[in-house]
Amino acid sequence: MGKSAVRRRVTVFISMVSAMGVTAALGGCSGGTAATPNATLKLVAADYGDSEANSSQKYWDKLVKEYEKKNPGIEIDVSVYSWNEVDAKVKQMVADGEAPDMAQIGAYADYAAKGQLYEVNQLLSIPVQADFVSRLAEAGEVGRVQYGMPFASSTRLLFYNKELFDEAGLTPPRSWSELAAAARTLKSRGVETPYALPLGPEEAQAETMMWLLSGGDGYTGTIGSYGLDSDQNIATFNWLKNDLVGKGLTGPTPPGKLNRADAFEAFTRGEVGMLNGHPSLMQAAEKRGVEYGMVPMPGVDGRAKATMGVADWMMAFKENGNGEEIGEFLDFVYSKKNVLEFSHEYNLLPVTTSASEAMAADKNDKDLDPFLSELENAELYPVAKTSWAQVSADIKQQIGKAVGPNARPSAVLGSLQQAASAAESSE
């Protein structure tokens, strides 16, 4: 994905009747007046493509053109940026007093906490708001009020190389002990990386959360406060350090220096026996001719209590006062057709119930069934916390040290917990 902004201005029109057949008035009511003619809405969006050929700009261009044919009256200016810069771009725009009307980025809580966002029920028609997958809608709430609208989602499963497993006479692991035993067998047969453990700074917070969940805990406790150094979490990292990393089962690159993208690439070269992955890894492996299988993440003594879910977010800023117009447009964005088209293009899971049901019923999407079935039970990052961005950044930089040769996981997790508690207290 390029680092320069890809911009395109297109004209679309909004009428009194939304794409879902319900007029979107503020407060989620069905009354209201027509959108103000000749207003301009600005949308900043992230790029999910991996090349110019499938840039998200093409998705937005197509969607906006279709909207233009049906609805007269409003201009929409869409700017697409790479994930490396989109969050920072929006942050700077807001700081400069030039907030976009809509932003489709990675986090919403900071803006919600400062009173800068519309509540979702001030924007969307009731049928559209009710269509969000409940688990994702809940993750978009701050103080039980929804500000973040899920835009894209995925869950994670344990991928394994079928050819390597078949040659070794192995079956997919269902517990930690089975995973470690399979890794030992693969190592004895010359597999370079029996289990890839990417705890490098790219996405260490994801691999960490998957393992914490499989160990029976997570980032937060039952009351919602951070609990990174809980007894269960310390036990999880002790096991990783002693039973996987310490036994040489995680490959030649130290986990703290292994990034997720590099682990995925090694899997598509046939060098990795097992790793946690999301739907996009399926297509990448198939392109390279790697046969793979997928199973839920193993837990200590059986299946993990939950899998990790990830969502990206759409939000609407109040600064320009275009709530009604924004709601009309987003009703169209979240139609079943458009949600499905986006999900298919980028190998992601739908964020609405109607699109999820359509995908589950489509035989062409059967390979996504295991991910879909995990979504309702998925645990998401604590994105409603304004402190999460800093805590996540700390985890990315520090957690790899917990499995180093001379490390004490309890000390690393304890240090992270201290920093998390301090960040949480300032929310």
Side-chain angles (χ1 to χ4, degrees):
M1 292 177 280
K3 290 189 177 180
S4 61
V6 183
R7 299 181 61 87
R8 174 175 174 82
R9 176 164 290 189
V10 289
T11 302
V12 299
F13 298 102
I14 293 180
S15 69
M16 290 178 64
V17 181
S18 74
M20 298 300 293
V22 179
T23 300
L26 297 185
C29 301
S30 60
T33 59
T36 303
N38 304 317
T40 298
L41 299 181
K42 293 186 178 181
L43 166 64
V44 175
D47 194 348
Y48 288 82
D50 55 14
S51 68
E52 193 68 29
N54 70 340
S55 167
S56 293
Q57 187 69 55
K58 293 189 175 183
Y59 170 81
W60 286 111
D61 287 352
K62 183 174 182 291
L63 181 147
V64 167
K65 274 187 179 180
E66 185 177 347
Y67 195 64
E68 177 182 8
K69 292 178 182 178
K70 298 178 179 178
N71 304 279
I74 270 193
E75 186 176 74
I76 293 188
D77 187 353
V78 182
S79 301
V80 174
Y81 295 91
S82 78
W83 274 110
N84 293 331
E85 57 184 344
V86 67
D87 289 283
K89 286 285 185 183
V90 172
K91 184 177 182 180
Q92 189 61 53
M93 292 171 74
V94 174
D96 292 342
E98 299 175 353
D101 294 283
M102 295 164 284
Q104 186 272 296
I105 52 178
Y108 66 87
D110 279 351
Y111 303 117
K114 294 173 184 175
Q116 296 170 324
L117 300 181
Y118 284 106
E119 298 176 12
V120 175
N121 64 12
Q122 294 176 307
L123 299 168
L124 301 180
S125 61
I126 293 171
V128 175
Q129 185 178 358
D131 197 27
F132 287 127
V133 174
S134 60
R135 186 69 191 89
L136 300 178
E138 290 168 5
E141 295 177 355
V142 174
R144 297 190 178 182
V145 176
Q146 187 181 356
Y147 297 93
M149 292 162 276
F151 186 77
S153 68
S154 70
T155 55
R156 305 295 171 93
L157 294 172
L158 181 72
F159 282 67
Y160 63 95
N161 184 307
K162 269 191 171 181
E163 182 177 355
L164 295 178
F165 266 61
D166 290 345
E167 290 174 351
L170 295 170
T171 57
R174 295 168 296 179
S175 65
W176 287 5
S177 60
E178 290 182 5
L179 187 150
R184 289 193 297 270
T185 299
L186 292 171
K187 181 182 180 181
S188 71
R189 297 177 62 85
V191 176
E192 185 173 49
T193 304
Y195 178 84
L197 184 66
L199 295 177
E202 179 197 2
E203 204 183 34
Q205 84 285 0
E207 185 73 12
T208 298
M209 184 169 174
M210 284 182 275
W211 278 102
L212 296 186
L213 290 172
S214 75
D217 206 345
Y219 283 133
T220 58
T222 54
I223 61 172
S225 296
Y226 292 111
L228 278 74
D229 62 346
S230 70
D231 290 344
Q232 286 171 297
N233 290 344
I234 291 171
T236 294
F237 267 83
N238 280 333
W239 187 86
L240 288 172
K241 178 181 183 298
N242 298 324
D243 290 65
L244 285 188
V245 182
K247 299 287 174 53
L249 302 177
T250 54
T253 303
K257 295 183 178 180
L258 180 64
N259 283 323
R260 188 266 310 161
D262 296 326
F264 277 21
E265 176 65 23
F267 185 81
T268 67
R269 294 195 302 265
E271 299 169 3
V272 173
M274 297 171 281
L275 83 171
N276 287 314
H278 50 64
S280 68
L281 184 56
M282 297 189 300
Q283 187 177 52
E286 288 166 1
K287 284 182 178 178
R288 302 285 284 272
V290 173
E291 291 189 55
Y292 61 87
M294 303 179 299
V295 293
M297 179 69 178
V300 179
D301 298 312
R303 181 171 175 171
K305 72 166 187 176
T307 189
M308 187 189 75
V310 177
D312 301 321
W313 303 95
M314 178 74 77
M315 63 212 69
F317 288 89
K318 296 191 292 187
E319 184 174 308
N320 302 316
N322 293 322
E324 185 173 351
E325 293 88 345
I326 293 168
E328 290 275 357
F329 180 63
L330 291 180
D331 268 3
F332 179 73
V333 169
Y334 282 105
S335 68
K336 181 172 71 173
K337 171 183 173 293
N338 288 328
V339 171
L340 275 173
E341 185 172 333
F342 180 84
S343 301
H344 283 140
E345 179 65 30
Y346 299 108
N347 292 303
L348 293 164
L349 302 182
V351 296
T352 62
T353 301
S354 61
S356 295
E357 290 174 347
M359 180 175 281
D362 190 338
K363 64 181 181 181
N364 294 321
D365 290 325
K366 287 302 179 186
D367 54 350
L368 288 170
D369 280 353
F371 294 97
L372 280 171
S373 66
E374 294 289 316
L375 188 56
E376 279 291 352
N377 191 41
E379 292 285 339
L380 279 73
Y381 298 133
V383 290
K385 290 179 171 293
T386 58
S387 57
W388 170 242
Q390 183 57 54
V391 173
S392 175
D394 290 343
I395 292 169
K396 289 179 181 180
Q397 295 300 319
Q398 302 296 326
I399 197 63
K401 298 175 182 177
V403 295
N406 301 312
R408 286 191 303 118
S410 60
V412 176
L413 290 170
S415 177
L416 286 168
Q417 175 60 31
Q418 284 186 330
S421 295
E424 187 174 35
S425 65
S426 63
E427 287 184 342

